[in-house]
Amino acid sequence: MFRRPPAARPRTRAPRDPSRTRGALLQAAARRIHEAGFQATDLDAILAEAGVTKGALYHHFAGKDALGYAIVDEVLADLTREKWLRPLAEADDPIQALIAIVRNSPLDPDAIRCGCPVNNLAQEMSPVNGAFRERIARLLDAWIRGIADALARGRRRGFVRSDVSPDDAATYFVALYEGYVSLAKGVQDARLLASGQAQMVRYLESLRPASPRGHGRGARQAG
Amino acid sequence: MFRRPPAARPRTRAPRDPSRTRGALLQAAARRIHEAGFQATDLDAILAEAGVTKGALYHHFAGKDALGYAIVDEVLADLTREKWLRPLAEADDPIQALIAIVRNSPLDPDAIRCGCPVNNLAQEMSPVNGAFRERIARLLDAWIRGIADALARGRRRGFVRSDVSPDDAATYFVALYEGYVSLAKGVQDARLLASGQAQMVRYLESLRPASPRGHGRGARQAG
DNA sequence: CCTGCGACATACTAATCAGTATGTTCAGGC
DNA sequence: GCCTGAACATACTGATTAGTATGTCGCAGG
């Protein structure tokens, strides 16, 4: 036997970084849960993908449920903020911003297969777990409210018809979006979601004032 | 020890009726799965609710998966037929029929909590099980096609605007419906679904010809 | 340089649950 | 009346998997 060097483990085994470990755990868990669902995802798969062991998981989280709660509160909340709330908050014209988001939504097979992570978790966990239900409800509410607020601001600025209810329109749009994503996942057909995007754009454009006639940017027909 | 009478078991233990047993199994399983999901439902709960034992289940079905397939092909297909396809096939005016279905959809807490059984199973099982995926896709396709066919017939008879695409409108409507049901389940609020029903009715009415002006039944404003 | 605690790793436990093996009952054909 | 197979019932097995117990490592403070 050779005398093994003091650091026998893989070279420079990455200096301790608790917050990085915690983040890797959250990201890995979110990925697997997005693909297979919360209950069907076993901890070992998460640990393998995160590259840590069970000790690390139970050091950072009280259990599988707590990990799930953190995913809702942190990962999914961040995704929602980055994809929806921030672009809407920064845009002048909410309709234009929403259309851009819809058009940029992915249509690749993985996206079709996995659907919307928020909706997935909501459908699976809301009926059976009160803690999940509350957190998911908060998240969905923030999502809808963010759109509603943007529509209300846009209405004041003349980008949105004055007879649309921001709350109703925001809820309607989110329902339509989630519905198309769910349907495309159910029938496993990207074309359905592609046509759905076109329909969503049509709906959004129907919220515009009839004919502002020279409101600066000419609403040119998108190809 | 007393000599026990020949029939010691509960009185008249119901004569053997295989198809009834099979049906009880299917109904019990469908109920539990609707409430808790397929993977989270354990066989013992199904057996308890059906009032039979594991031997009966494995006599009628090859396993848990086969039971799930049968639920899609039989229970959910029947539900879809009875709630959507038959009323649509029997109605002259598809829009009126769809509005009636929407208005009659339940709003009680259980319905809000559990959502749509078809969509639930689709979201849970489509990404992880090919056999489920195919069956669910067939079911969703039949549902959408049934609405599309009814809209096409209604268009020929003047009940539907001639510039609407039956396929697109049917898909749009189903997405909207599933989306509202999912959202209401996610935020656990019946009011959201109630307002959603009103919005769905609005959409359906927007499919009517501009002003048929005396088409027999006057389209009176619903209260 | 030692020490104590945070940050992990490893090995084990315990419970759940789908599936199976085997036994029992019933109903109809002969 | 018996006999065979369908229609169940019961008890068990095996595998998966969340959670735990315990050990080790490394950095910070004294």
Side-chain angles (χ1 to χ4, degrees):
Chain A
M1 287 295 194
F2 302 101
R3 187 186 306 160
R4 43 182 141 112
R9 308 294 184 74
R11 57 296 289 298
T12 48
R13 43 167 295 147
R16 295 232 162 151
D17 188 342
S19 76
R20 202 175 124 80
T21 301
R22 203 186 112 98
L25 239 13
L26 280 174
Q27 289 301 323
R31 265 185 54 98
R32 305 303 294 241
I33 290 171
H34 185 201
E35 291 194 345
F38 178 77
Q39 307 183 90
T41 298
D42 59 316
L43 295 182
D44 288 334
I46 295 172
L47 298 174
E49 183 157 332
V52 298
T53 62
K54 203 165 278 190
L57 197 159
Y58 279 91
H59 176 72
H60 287 284
F61 301 98
K64 193 186 181 187
D65 283 359
L67 178 61
Y69 304 155
I71 288 177
V72 179
D73 290 340
E74 302 177 34
V75 181
L76 298 184
D78 280 357
L79 285 179
T80 305
R81 243 192 306 275
E82 290 308 307
K83 174 166 185 173
W84 297 92
L85 304 185
R86 195 153 66 123
L88 280 169
E90 290 173 352
D92 283 333
D93 180 356
I95 293 180
Q96 189 186 340
L98 286 170
I99 289 177
I101 297 172
V102 167
R103 286 229 171 89
N104 286 331
S105 292
L107 290 170
D108 56 292
D110 276 1
I112 301 298
R113 255 200 30 240
C114 296
C116 167
V118 178
N119 191 46
N120 288 356
L121 213 54
Q123 298 309 305
E124 180 184 3
M125 301 308 294
S126 275
V128 295
N129 184 309
F132 266 109
R133 176 166 53 242
E134 287 175 24
R135 287 156 206 265
I136 291 169
R138 266 202 299 274
L139 180 56
L140 287 172
D141 200 64
W143 182 13
I144 295 174
R145 191 172 307 261
I147 297 177
D149 288 349
L151 288 175
R153 281 202 340 270
R155 198 173 71 167
R156 276 182 244 118
R157 295 178 190 172
F159 290 110
V160 178
R161 285 209 329 265
S162 60
D163 64 325
V164 312
S165 152
D167 277 2
D168 287 349
T171 307
Y172 184 98
F173 172 75
V174 171
L176 193 61
Y177 177 86
E178 293 286 19
Y180 268 119
V181 174
S182 295
L183 259 191
K185 178 180 170 186
V187 302
Q188 292 285 323
D189 190 345
R191 290 171 309 173
L192 195 154
L193 189 52
S195 115
Q197 290 187 355
Q199 298 294 328
M200 287 186 257
V201 170
R202 271 178 61 99
Y203 169 71
L204 289 169
E205 278 170 346
S206 80
L207 299 178
R208 287 206 166 115
S211 193
R213 181 157 318 192
H215 197 298
R217 120 195 13 80
R220 52 187 164 134
Q221 202 82 354
Chain B
M1 289 290 194
F2 302 101
R3 187 186 306 162
R4 43 180 140 114
R9 309 295 184 72
R11 53 303 283 303
T12 48
R13 44 170 294 149
R16 292 227 162 153
D17 189 343
S19 76
R20 203 176 123 81
T21 300
R22 202 186 113 99
L25 239 11
L26 280 174
Q27 290 301 323
R31 264 186 54 99
R32 303 305 292 241
I33 290 171
H34 185 201
E35 290 194 347
F38 178 76
Q39 307 184 91
T41 298
D42 60 316
L43 294 181
D44 288 335
I46 295 172
L47 298 174
E49 182 157 334
V52 299
T53 62
K54 203 166 278 192
L57 195 159
Y58 278 90
H59 176 74
H60 287 285
F61 302 98
K64 194 186 182 188
D65 283 359
L67 178 62
Y69 304 155
I71 288 177
V72 179
D73 291 340
E74 302 178 33
V75 180
L76 299 184
D78 280 358
L79 284 177
T80 305
R81 242 192 307 276
E82 290 309 307
K83 175 164 186 176
W84 298 92
L85 303 185
R86 196 152 67 123
L88 279 169
E90 290 173 352
D92 285 333
D93 180 355
I95 294 179
Q96 189 186 342
L98 286 171
I99 289 177
I101 296 173
V102 167
R103 287 229 171 90
N104 284 331
S105 293
L107 291 170
D108 56 291
D110 276 0
I112 301 298
R113 255 201 28 241
C114 296
C116 168
V118 178
N119 190 47
N120 289 356
L121 214 54
Q123 300 308 307
E124 181 184 3
M125 300 308 293
S126 274
V128 295
N129 184 308
F132 265 110
R133 176 166 52 241
E134 287 175 24
R135 287 155 206 268
I136 290 169
R138 266 203 299 274
L139 181 55
L140 287 171
D141 201 64
W143 182 13
I144 295 175
R145 191 173 306 263
I147 297 177
D149 288 350
L151 288 175
R153 282 202 340 269
R155 199 173 71 167
R156 279 184 243 117
R157 296 179 190 170
F159 291 110
V160 178
R161 283 208 331 264
S162 59
D163 63 326
V164 312
S165 153
D167 277 3
D168 286 349
T171 307
Y172 185 98
F173 172 75
V174 172
L176 193 60
Y177 177 86
E178 293 287 19
Y180 268 118
V181 174
S182 295
L183 259 191
K185 178 180 169 184
V187 303
Q188 292 285 324
D189 189 347
R191 289 171 310 172
L192 195 154
L193 189 52
S195 114
Q197 291 187 354
Q199 299 293 328
M200 287 186 256
V201 170
R202 272 177 62 100
Y203 168 72
L204 289 169
E205 278 169 347
S206 80
L207 300 178
R208 286 207 167 115
S211 193
R213 185 159 313 194
H215 198 297
R217 120 193 15 77
R220 50 188 166 133
Q221 202 82 354

